[in-house]
């Protein structure tokens, strides 16, 4: 007398969560490569909460409520045979550049007045009749000195981890008059 034994061999999953990446804003489209079984996304670490549009979709959208670095795990389960892989996603805040208000000045120098938001800001010349020298191109309150009078458009660009925004300001540089009433005289 003998008994038959049925043995089921399940394929072991090979989880691939995709490559580390970064994004601008609060949402990121994940890119796992599924193998076998059922895959599920979970948060391993990060400064805020994560909501997955569909935790079982390898291409789910992961939306966070706080900027920063997150480690997200793609776990595949094929009837108890489990494998997982992690991916790091950095969520960067999108800058909101503000170069200040249009203005004019007497002379060839002007103290700029940008309002920084996030990341590194940089001043550049967009247009104008001469050259512009910035006392410190990364200072929101840099002095912009020109070598020719006229109308200039200056750009304040903010970069936060590759997420950028810019704003332009128009400054008119007027030559200071040199009044000359003539010489004293007797009538």
């Amino acid at each position: 007398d003998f008994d038959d034994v049925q043995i089921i061999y399940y394929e072991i999953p090979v989880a691939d969560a995709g490559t580390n990446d970064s994004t601008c804003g609060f949402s990121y489209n994940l890119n796992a490569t599924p193998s076998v079984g059922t895959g599920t996304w979970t948060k391993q670490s990060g400064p805020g909460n994560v909501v997955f549009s569909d935790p079982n979709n390898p291409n789910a959208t992961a939306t966070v409520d706080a900027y920063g670095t997150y480690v997200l795990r793609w776990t595949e389960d094929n009837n108890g045979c489990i494998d997982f892989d992690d991916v790091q996603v950095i969520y960067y805040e999108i800058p909101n550049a503000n170069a200040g208000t249009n203005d004019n000045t007497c002379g060839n120098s002007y103290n700029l007045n940008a309002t920084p938001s996030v990341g590194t800001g940089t001043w550049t010349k967009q247009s104008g009749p001469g050259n512009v020298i910035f006392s410190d191109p990364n200072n929101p309150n840099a002095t912009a000195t020109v070598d020719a009078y006229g109308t200039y458009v200056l750009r304040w660009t903010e970069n936060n981890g590759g997420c950028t925004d810019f704003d332009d300001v128009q400054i008119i540089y007027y030559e200071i008059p040199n009044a000359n009433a003539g010489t004293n005289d007797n009538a």
Side-chain angles (χ1 to χ4, degrees):
D1 193 27
F2 63 91
D3 287 331
D4 290 336
V5 176
Q6 181 182 12
I7 299 174
I8 301 174
Y9 294 91
Y10 292 105
E11 184 177 348
I12 299 171
V14 179
D16 180 358
T19 57
N20 295 341
D21 203 357
S22 64
T23 188
C24 300
F26 285 120
S27 65
Y28 179 78
N29 294 327
L30 296 162
N31 193 22
T33 303
S35 61
V36 295
T38 301
T40 305
W41 285 108
T42 55
K43 171 193 164 188
Q44 296 306 298
S45 65
N49 298 308
V50 180
V51 174
F52 299 98
S53 59
D54 176 355
N56 302 116
N57 182 343
N59 303 116
T61 299
T63 303
V64 301
D65 60 7
Y67 296 109
T69 302
Y70 290 78
V71 175
L72 307 176
R73 178 167 290 173
W74 175 248
T75 302
E76 293 184 341
D77 182 343
N78 189 24
N79 292 295
C81 301
I82 297 173
D83 190 33
F84 65 85
D85 188 34
D86 293 340
V87 64
Q88 176 182 285
V89 180
I90 303 172
Y91 292 81
Y92 287 105
E93 183 176 354
I94 301 170
N96 184 13
N98 180 349
T101 56
N102 295 342
D103 204 357
N104 57 60
T105 187
C106 297
N108 66 346
S109 67
Y110 181 82
N111 292 328
L112 296 162
N113 193 23
T115 303
S117 64
V118 65
T120 301
T122 305
W123 285 107
T124 55
K125 171 193 163 188
Q126 294 306 297
S127 66
N131 297 309
V132 180
I133 296 175
F134 299 97
S135 59
D136 177 355
N138 302 118
N139 183 342
N141 303 116
T143 299
T145 304
V146 300
D147 61 6
Y149 297 106
T151 302
Y152 290 79
V153 175
L154 307 177
R155 178 167 289 175
W156 175 248
T157 302
E158 293 182 340
N159 185 330
N160 187 33
C163 306
T164 61
D165 189 34
F166 67 84
D167 189 34
D168 293 339
V169 64
Q170 176 182 284
I171 308 298
I172 303 172
Y173 292 82
Y174 290 107
E175 186 173 355
I176 300 172
N178 186 6
N180 184 348
T183 57
N184 293 338
D185 197 1
N186 292 328

